Amino acid sequence: IKAQQNLYYYEQQALANADQIMTTANQQLQAGDIDFFQWTMWTNQSIAVKNEYINALATYNASVIQLLTLQNL
């Protein structure tokens, strides 16, 4: 199932990358290496990835429900 592969990608790679982006952005802001605008851009990117994961999870769940409904379980 494509939805399952998409979900796997987020769980195995994208969410960890999003967390790393957030951590790095926070560290760089505290160190003065980036300004608030740059921090906001990086934070928004991280949040967008997490939002995409939630959408992928919803799609996967809808696919499972549809499959179960078709099987009359």
Side-chain angles (χ1 to χ4, degrees):
I1 295 177
K2 181 178 177 168
Q4 187 175 19
Q5 291 171 339
N6 215 12
L7 194 59
Y8 182 80
Y9 161 73
Y10 282 102
E11 291 174 346
Q12 297 300 314
Q13 185 176 354
L15 288 176
N17 290 346
D19 288 340
Q20 184 61 47
I21 289 169
M22 185 71 78
T23 299
T24 301
N26 287 336
Q27 290 171 345
Q28 289 185 348
L29 180 67
Q30 290 175 354
D33 295 334
I34 61 174
D35 61 22
F36 184 72
F37 176 74
Q38 291 169 317
W39 177 84
T40 302
M41 297 295 291
W42 288 113
T43 300
N44 284 342
Q45 182 180 356
S46 176
I47 292 169
V49 170
K50 292 178 181 188
N51 188 48
E52 290 167 8
Y53 166 71
I54 291 169
N55 290 336
L57 181 59
T59 299
Y60 173 77
N61 287 338
S63 297
V64 170
I65 290 169
Q66 184 178 20
L67 181 62
L68 292 174
T69 301
L70 291 173
Q71 294 177 349
N72 292 321
L73 292 178

